Amino acid sequence: MSTTGKVRGSYAKTPARRREILEAGIDVFSTSGFRSGSIREIAERVGMSQAGLLHHFSNKSELLAAVLQLRDDRSAEVVPVDDEHAGIATIRGFVSLLEYNATVPGLVELHCTLSAEATGAEHPAHQYFVDRYAFVVGQMRLAFERMRDAGQLTENTTPEGAARAMVALSDGLQVQWLLDRSSVDMAEEMRRYLRGILTVEL
Amino acid sequence: MSTTGKVRGSYAKTPARRREILEAGIDVFSTSGFRSGSIREIAERVGMSQAGLLHHFSNKSELLAAVLQLRDDRSAEVVPVDDEHAGIATIRGFVSLLEYNATVPGLVELHCTLSAEATGAEHPAHQYFVDRYAFVVGQMRLAFERMRDAGQLTENTTPEGAARAMVALSDGLQVQWLLDRSSVDMAEEMRRYLRGILTVEL
């Protein structure tokens, strides 16, 4: 391949090229975090120059936003968001997401590292995570409200509390799993929690 | 104060000076993480030169280890570890720790950022966190085993599952609390979970 061809190749804004960069972004941000992860390192992984990469994403924050969007798209495929049919199907979808997560450690690491880093108000992904948590907790609360109305929650369980606890449990189990994969079954621990607050089969 | 006096002051290995450096280390590592946090920045916060700081801690990893030890010492004051009397007192102590944590956001941020960063095997605090989680989960499992033997757990609750869930819930609630302090009461959410698995008053 000629040098010219190579340069043209890495500048080409094909979906495949973009996807390749995002996958490299997941790898780098998940191990180094956003602050330490560099455009240079991401570019190197896909065999591009920094200039070539910046042709696809104009800066590191824009790349981060696209990486997070990719993560959310994948999650949405596993947990269909459908307000009208919210209920136990939503909760089952959330458990499936933990099963899926166990197959993609890079995405789990990305989530844990960035959500922790982004608790600081000055972080470029701070507002994203504030909104994302409000959205996910809100979706789960809605599902639990429907279930409460259908008599599917134990007496002392509140939809708000169950939603916050389920999301928190998921985050914490991800950290424990990353630290010791052989001892932690994220989906099973979540089912155990849910069985304690549901009056119906999960 | 003469220049000589100043230098001598920052080199003096007094406990107060050491403590001051550790507090600055907590601030810097909690907002920037270990990878991005720099000795230079920590030194600046306490008005020392880098050389002066390195007289107290020979490198960044050694400083990190001391920061984590300080964090653990504080936690141990709140949750007394006492195998012989493990039981509901241990669990109550853990809930108190969440109440205490709500007063020290810097330590909470430190824990969330570093535990996520350190899930990577190459991180200098990786083994510390592997050991720390095994220790804390082990302490809680022991307490729940005693409670199970005393008939204080609901039928389907296992000591191992409850221990992992309690620690996971604590981690996840900390992230949610850092993102939205006014909406999350960490200790109350934890009590809610515990009431669901205990047959005795918390």
Side-chain angles (χ1 to χ4, degrees), chain B residues 115-181:
Chain B
S115 61
E117 236 189 32
T119 54
E122 81 303 333
H123 194 282
H126 180 72
Q127 196 55 48
Y128 164 84
F129 276 103
V130 170
D131 295 345
R132 179 76 191 162
Y133 273 82
F135 171 75
V136 174
V137 170
Q139 287 294 317
M140 297 307 141
R141 185 174 45 228
L142 178 65
F144 282 126
E145 278 166 3
R146 297 278 168 80
M147 294 181 72
R148 178 200 54 199
D149 296 348
Q152 297 174 331
L153 297 188
T154 55
E155 203 180 340
N156 296 314
T157 302
T158 67
E160 169 79 15
R164 291 222 169 261
M166 193 167 70
V167 172
L169 199 52
S170 164
D171 280 352
L173 286 171
Q174 291 183 70
V175 172
Q176 286 185 45
W177 177 74
L178 287 171
L179 285 170
D180 182 5
R181 295 188 198 177

Side-chain angles (χ1 to χ4, degrees), chain A residues 31 35-36 112 164 168 176, chain B residues 31 35-36 116 164 168 176 192:
Chain A
T31 39
R35 286 200 194 82
S36 302
C112 291
R164 291 221 169 263
Q176 287 185 45
Chain B
T31 40
R35 286 198 194 85
S36 301
R164 291 222 169 261
Q176 286 185 45
R192 216 196 288 269

Side-chain angles (χ1 to χ4, degrees), chain B residues 11 13 21 39 43 48-60 62:
Chain B
Y11 274 81
K13 282 191 163 180
I21 297 169
I39 288 282
M48 291 174 81
S49 65
Q50 290 190 56
L53 193 151
L54 292 169
H55 188 67
H56 293 263
F57 299 95
S58 56
N59 57 49
K60 204 166 82 161
E62 196 181 308

